[in-house]
Amino acid sequence: MKKLILPVLLVMLPFILLAQNSLSGKVTDRSTNEPLTGATIRLINTFHETVSNNLGIFSIKNLKPDTYSLVASYIGYLNDTTEIDLSKTTIITMALIPSAIMQEEVIVLATRAGSKTPVAYQSIKNKEIADLNFGQDLPILLGNSISAVSTSDAGNGMGYTALRIRGTDMTRINVTINGIPLNDPESHNVYWVDLPDFATSTDNIQIQRGVGTSTNGVSAFGASINLQSAYLKNLPYAELNSAAGSFNSFKNTLSLGSGLLKKHFSLDARLSKISSDGFIDRASSDLLSYYISGAYIAKKDFVRFNIFSGKEKTYQAWDGVPSTILDTNRTYNGTGAYFDSHGNLQYYDNETDNYKQTHYQAIYSHEFSKKLILNTSVHHTVGAGYYEQYMESGDLADYGIVPDKAILANDNTKSDTISPGSTDLVRQKHLANTFTGITWSLNYSFKRLHSSFGGSWNTYTGNHFGKVIWSEYTGTIEPGHEWYRSKALKNDFNIFVKTEFALTEKFNTWIDLQYRNIGYSIDGVDDDMRDITQDHTFNFFNPKLGISWQMTEKQNAYASVSVANREPNRDNFIDANPLQPMPQPETLYDAESGYSFTSSRFSINSNLYYMYYKDQLVLTGEINDVGAPVMINVPSSYRAGIEVAAKVMLTGNLKWESSVTLSRNKIKSFTEYIDNWDTWGQIAINHTNTDLAYSPAAIASGSLSWQATKGLTLSFMRKFVGKQFIDNTQSTDRRLDSYFVDNLLVKYLIHPGFCKEIGFSLMINNLFNQEYESNAWVYKYYYDNTMQKLDGYFPQAGINFMVGIVVKL
């Protein structure tokens, strides 16, 4: 707890205000002189940002006498920048010019929270992403976000990675790209490795914590992440971005763009190649991706076609390091291990995961008037791949293979290690899927009213099948023997209406209503030869409402209550015990309240939340009829906490940012089941008021950025994650210890005559070489009347580095 005192005190650090004068004014349409409601007004190099009221009026009080750059922006208009000398109280008028072309911000109007939406959110700009992008997946780049914890199977952020927000994993975090769902409809997961280096093609990200606003795709049961792909650049550009570093890691990216051609057209492209050996043994990754985007932009219409694709090959590092050897061999990887005919330990060289996914997006926006805008998107995603495994002494019957008893009887070369009816074999588990649909929204804004009416319809098909591609004793099989196949079909429809209405200049109400219908069917057999044919239909109503209060020009507060419903995913259904009731949908009741204060050089945002789950699905150790673990609905569980984020402009070139989350995450009661290998039964143990797994009670992050000289910036970043348990029993022998991680980023920019810019960068990760694990799993059982366990921990790399160069032409 002592380790938390400093970051908490720093977040709550008071800042002495020297402000004296005030700035007020009005934002209007230059062509009509009408006031613009909801225009954003921002003072550059300060934390001041406000919006105009229904009369177009804004005010910023108590400013230190100085010269400021003031920027006013509004969707559909060109930004206006004005230099202001605040030697005395100033009143100005900013008349914005309607843009000759439609702006891309309209694409995500319906799925984004605005400045007065009463939800907890964080916006991350392209520069913040680009500064940290040395080839790691997005979860690593977002790891210092509020309430976030990231992890990497390979230990260095390349290959398979994951992100948790408020303790909830990726299956419960809704992710969209340009408002189009990215979560796999069956597993609900997001496999970031399938889109390597998409960060380079991302303009901005908004993370909403809690239920947030209605969105498309699976429900947000802890957070939502909304990505918007790269904006139009007016001028032609070319950029080469290369990085190299520890563990034989390399990243090479080439980006090109035409700029605006003939005032209407643009074409952008990116090609990326990333590779790494990984910190963990054989945790290699070989990643390739591309992004192509063409657009037509007019005054009232906007059309963009996006094609982006990723192809990954990663050596499996999913099993982790057993706790018994964690202290002596932190890079151990047991996947692919087998013994040859001479009894020597070998590792299968193609124990890999292979997958390719390609996304097609057609986006169209039309401005009927400045008050009414239509957005529509059609999308199609195609994916196919498999993972390959060497299976030692596999039971032929498990693969539908009739053993050739004559061959087994006459061959004694493996009589010590193989029994009749089993053999060494290599298998592949395949998935081929498609995801197609349409999203739309109609956005209306006039004076006090801002409203969106939208929804989506999506259909998904998934073909799951397995092949035996080699076996030492073939029996009666053909090459490429297929032992299981199933097909899934899922249709997802939703419709929503969101309305924000200003009751007065200070009070703004918000109501968001969503109806969602899901039809899901599975036909065929699973990899254990069970028939898993089934059909499910769900109808959900997800209401949300809230109010925001502009207490003063510097202070704002809000409160909201929301409901979200989530259907079980594929694993929940196919692993369920057929002798018991099927898993039921989960419901989340989310209450949020927040307060913010902003001055020229100091800002603080705080948020209180209480998330109550009804019938949350969790692992309890219970198994199905064939011994596989299943997730069980627990009646009552909750997450409650406070989030505080602060920023201080210490000097003109020294900035400090920090966030702290303190929380309680509990299951009120559940029954744990432990396998008893002595009796082939299970032992039941009742628990009450235990911590939810992977939910640290404390998370803190901070950064100190110093612009040492022109072009040279140094940033020191620190992350703290409190202890977390790896199952729901709160047992001290099944937990991850708390850890601090420190990173140092050095960037240096020059502007030579032969190109626009050359940037050099150095990232030193885990600066003080801390040993820590960010993820783990455990399986407990009784054997010989003694509690025993199998587990796997995921150590993250010690001190390591990446160096990079960016050349912009």
Side-chain angles (χ1 to χ4, degrees):
M1 192 66 184
K2 292 180 179 178
K3 294 181 179 179
L4 282 176
I5 294 175
L6 180 59
V8 171
L9 288 176
L10 287 175
V11 168
M12 302 305 296
L13 180 70
F15 190 81
I16 299 173
L17 301 177
L18 302 175
Q20 297 177 8
N21 296 328
S22 64
L23 168 68
S24 60
K26 187 175 183 179
V27 185
T28 64
D29 180 318
R30 180 173 293 187
S31 58
T32 65
N33 206 35
E34 290 185 358
L36 295 179
T37 302
T40 300
I41 299 92
R42 181 166 57 95
L43 286 177
I44 301 298
N45 293 326
T46 77
F47 298 125
H48 273 304
E49 185 172 302
T50 188
V51 295
S52 58
N53 64 17
N54 59 299
L55 299 177
I57 295 172
F58 68 91
S59 178
I60 304 174
K61 293 182 179 180
N62 299 323
L63 291 169
K64 179 183 177 181
D66 205 343
T67 300
Y68 297 90
S69 291
L70 184 69
V71 179
S73 60
Y74 193 75
I75 291 178
Y77 291 79
L78 299 178
N79 290 356
D80 184 23
T81 302
T82 304
E83 295 294 322
I84 303 293
D85 181 6
L86 281 182
S87 57
K88 60 181 180 178
T89 296
T90 304
I91 301 174
I92 65 169
T93 297
M94 302 188 76
L96 304 189
I97 301 172
S99 176
I101 61 174
M102 200 169 182
Q103 295 175 328
E104 294 190 57
E105 288 92 338
V106 300
I107 293 175
V108 293
L109 275 177
T111 53
R112 288 283 176 97
S115 59
K116 294 185 178 181
T117 308
V119 300
Y121 72 91
Q122 179 180 7
S123 297
I124 302 171
K125 297 179 180 179
N126 172 266
K127 185 182 183 305
E128 299 173 69
I129 303 168
D131 283 347
L132 300 175
N133 186 9
F134 289 84
Q136 292 93 339
D137 275 350
L138 265 171
I140 306 302
L141 305 185
L142 299 178
N144 278 348
S145 304
I146 300 170
S147 298
V149 177
S150 61
T151 185
S152 164
D153 284 6
N156 68 325
M158 296 181 180
Y160 271 88
T161 60
L163 184 73
R164 291 190 179 94
I165 298 177
R166 289 186 180 175
T168 59
D169 64 21
M170 287 308 311
T171 66
R172 294 162 180 267
I173 299 174
N174 172 277
V175 182
T176 58
I177 297 178
N178 301 321
I180 295 169
L182 183 62
N183 298 72
D184 178 85
E186 276 200 287
S187 70
H188 297 184
N189 214 331
V190 176
Y191 301 100
W192 299 99
V193 71
D194 298 339
L195 291 176
D197 201 29
F198 193 78
T200 298
S201 299
T202 299
D203 182 84
N204 62 84
I205 299 173
Q206 185 180 90
I207 301 175
Q208 297 179 22
R209 303 184 302 281
V211 170
T213 63
S214 289
T215 186
N216 301 310
V218 301
S219 293
F221 247 54
S224 57
I225 300 175
N226 184 299
L227 295 87
Q228 186 162 10
S229 57
Y231 280 178
L232 164 72
K233 293 182 175 63
N234 287 320
L235 299 176
Y237 68 92
E239 180 176 311
L240 177 64
N241 189 325
S242 294
S246 301
F247 317 116
N248 201 27
S249 300
F250 296 94
K251 175 206 174 193
N252 289 289
T253 299
L254 177 63
S255 302
L256 302 167
S258 66
L260 190 60
L261 299 173
K262 297 184 178 180
K263 299 183 180 181
H264 291 293
F265 299 94
S266 73
L267 182 65
D268 298 89
R270 170 186 58 82
L271 180 64
S272 300
K273 178 73 166 64
I274 298 171
S275 62
S276 177
D277 291 342
F279 166 67
I280 300 297
D281 296 342
R282 299 180 311 285
S284 60
S285 56
D286 187 4
L287 315 175
L288 181 68
S289 68
Y290 67 83
Y291 172 89
I292 301 173
S293 181
Y296 169 80
I297 309 101
K299 186 174 183 180
K300 300 284 186 179
D301 297 278
F302 174 87
V303 182
R304 184 176 286 281
F305 296 96
N306 296 328
I307 302 175
F308 49 94
S309 180
K311 183 179 181 181
E312 60 93 2
K313 182 174 184 177
T314 57
Y315 195 98
Q316 295 167 30
W318 307 333
D319 290 350
V321 180
S323 59
T324 54
I325 65 171
L326 192 58
D327 291 337
T328 58
N329 188 354
R330 295 181 59 80
T331 64
Y332 173 81
N333 183 7
T335 55
Y338 70 96
F339 289 93
D340 63 20
S341 57
H342 301 290
N344 298 316
L345 178 64
Q346 304 287 345
Y347 290 95
Y348 183 53
D349 60 4
N350 200 38
E351 192 91 354
T352 57
D353 181 69
N354 306 262
Y355 194 75
K356 181 180 179 181
Q357 191 175 79
T358 303
H359 299 249
Y360 304 88
Q361 297 181 346
I363 301 167
Y364 173 66
S365 297
H366 175 72
E367 182 185 289
F368 294 101
S369 69
K370 294 295 182 184
K371 303 171 185 175
L372 187 63
I373 296 174
L374 171 69
N375 292 321
T376 58
S377 299
V378 178
H379 66 90
H380 180 62
T381 302
V382 180
Y386 64 91
Y387 65 87
E388 187 168 308
Q389 294 176 305
Y390 190 101
M391 305 300 294
E392 197 169 25
S393 299
D395 192 333
L396 293 174
D398 289 343
Y399 300 91
I401 302 171
V402 178
D404 189 328
K405 295 181 180 179
I407 293 177
L408 291 173
N410 294 328
D411 193 317
N412 296 317
T413 58
K414 298 193 69 176
S415 59
D416 305 354
T417 59
I418 193 166
S419 60
S422 64
T423 183
D424 289 358
L425 56 86
V426 177
R427 70 181 189 182
Q428 293 178 345
K429 288 189 172 183
H430 286 255
L431 171 62
N433 52 11
T434 63
F435 183 49
T436 305
I438 181 171
T439 68
W440 61 276
S441 67
L442 195 62
N443 306 283
Y444 178 78
S445 180
F446 181 65
K447 292 186 177 179
R448 297 186 179 188
L449 179 67
H450 300 273
S451 186
S452 293
F453 176 52
S456 68
W457 175 84
N458 303 292
T459 185
Y460 169 91
T461 61
N463 289 293
H464 304 257
F465 58 97
K467 293 182 177 182
V468 177
I469 64 171
W470 173 87
S471 63
E472 188 167 359
Y473 298 95
T474 57
T476 55
I477 66 168
E478 297 294 328
H481 166 74
E482 183 176 296
W483 90 90
Y484 76 92
R485 179 178 286 268
S486 67
K487 182 176 181 179
L489 174 65
K490 187 171 186 178
N491 292 311
D492 187 336
F493 167 81
N494 90 86
I495 191 169
F496 61 79
V497 59
K498 308 177 185 182
T499 298
E500 292 186 24
F501 181 74
L503 296 174
T504 67
E505 289 187 11
K506 293 184 178 295
F507 287 96
N508 194 70
T509 60
W510 170 68
I511 185 167
D512 183 337
L513 306 175
Q514 183 193 52
Y515 165 75
R516 184 167 174 244
N517 170 266
I518 303 106
Y520 182 41
S521 63
I522 305 173
D523 183 24
V525 297
D526 199 24
D527 59 356
D528 56 9
M529 308 295 288
R530 288 184 304 129
D531 187 345
I532 55 173
T533 300
Q534 53 193 281
D535 292 279
H536 305 276
T537 301
F538 303 96
N539 291 283
F540 296 138
F541 176 58
N542 302 315
K544 311 167 186 70
L545 59 93
I547 188 167
S548 61
W549 174 29
Q550 186 174 345
M551 303 164 67
T552 67
E553 287 79 6
K554 295 177 181 292
Q555 300 180 80
N556 290 275
Y558 68 83
S560 64
V561 291
S562 306
V563 179
N565 293 277
R566 176 181 180 268
E567 74 278 15
N569 64 22
R570 174 185 172 86
D571 287 345
N572 300 147
F573 284 128
I574 66 174
D575 292 337
N577 192 334
L579 305 178
Q580 296 183 3
M582 293 296 288
Q584 298 301 304
E586 306 164 272
T587 302
L588 168 60
Y589 302 92
D590 181 23
E592 308 264 344
S593 63
Y595 167 83
S596 65
F597 173 87
T598 303
S599 68
S600 297
R601 298 189 176 276
F602 173 70
S603 73
I604 187 168
N605 292 274
S606 61
N607 186 67
L608 290 168
Y609 64 90
Y610 181 78
M611 301 164 64
Y612 175 79
Y613 296 87
K614 180 178 179 293
D615 295 329
Q616 184 173 189
L617 284 161
V618 302
L619 285 169
T620 65
E622 189 167 354
I623 59 175
N624 61 18
D625 57 325
V626 295
V630 298
M631 297 187 80
I632 303 297
N633 294 104
V634 294
S636 180
S637 55
Y638 70 89
R639 302 180 186 277
I642 180 171
E643 300 163 322
V644 182
K647 299 179 182 180
V648 179
M649 197 79 71
L650 298 171
T651 67
N653 57 3
L654 185 63
K655 183 173 70 173
W656 170 82
E657 301 182 41
S658 188
S659 70
V660 171
T661 300
L662 302 175
S663 65
R664 287 175 58 86
N665 310 276
K666 296 289 185 178
I667 298 179
K668 292 187 177 180
S669 66
F670 80 100
T671 301
E672 178 193 17
Y673 295 88
I674 304 175
D675 288 348
N676 189 328
W677 288 14
D678 296 323
T679 64
W680 294 102
Q682 286 197 299
I683 297 172
I685 302 174
N686 294 321
H687 296 272
T688 59
N689 203 38
T690 58
D691 280 4
L692 282 163
Y694 308 108
S695 301
I699 302 171
S701 63
S703 67
L704 187 66
S705 298
W706 177 40
Q707 187 171 344
T709 63
K710 183 178 180 181
L712 177 63
T713 304
L714 292 85
S715 299
F716 176 76
M717 294 160 281
R718 163 161 273 205
K719 181 79 175 185
F720 171 81
V721 177
K723 68 180 180 182
Q724 48 188 314
F725 298 96
I726 59 178
D727 68 7
N728 296 303
T729 65
Q730 202 171 327
S731 299
T732 56
D733 66 332
R734 297 188 288 276
R735 76 177 189 190
L736 295 167
D737 292 332
S738 61
Y739 58 87
F740 273 101
V741 181
D742 301 278
N743 300 331
L744 178 65
L745 174 65
V746 181
K747 297 188 72 71
Y748 182 63
L749 302 178
I750 60 174
H751 299 85
F754 60 88
C755 67
K756 293 180 182 177
E757 180 180 283
I758 298 179
F760 302 93
S761 55
L762 167 66
M763 172 68 88
I764 304 178
N765 299 298
N766 198 354
L767 184 63
F768 301 117
N769 201 33
Q770 295 295 307
E771 291 189 352
Y772 70 102
E773 299 81 44
S774 58
N775 197 14
W777 61 269
V778 65
Y779 165 71
K780 298 161 293 181
Y781 62 97
Y782 275 97
Y783 179 67
D784 199 18
N785 291 320
T786 305
M787 170 80 81
Q788 302 190 40
K789 65 179 178 179
L790 300 172
D791 57 21
Y793 286 73
F794 293 86
Q796 303 302 287
I799 185 170
N800 64 95
F801 73 94
M802 293 290 292
V803 294
I805 181 171
V806 179
V807 179
K808 297 182 179 181
L809 302 177

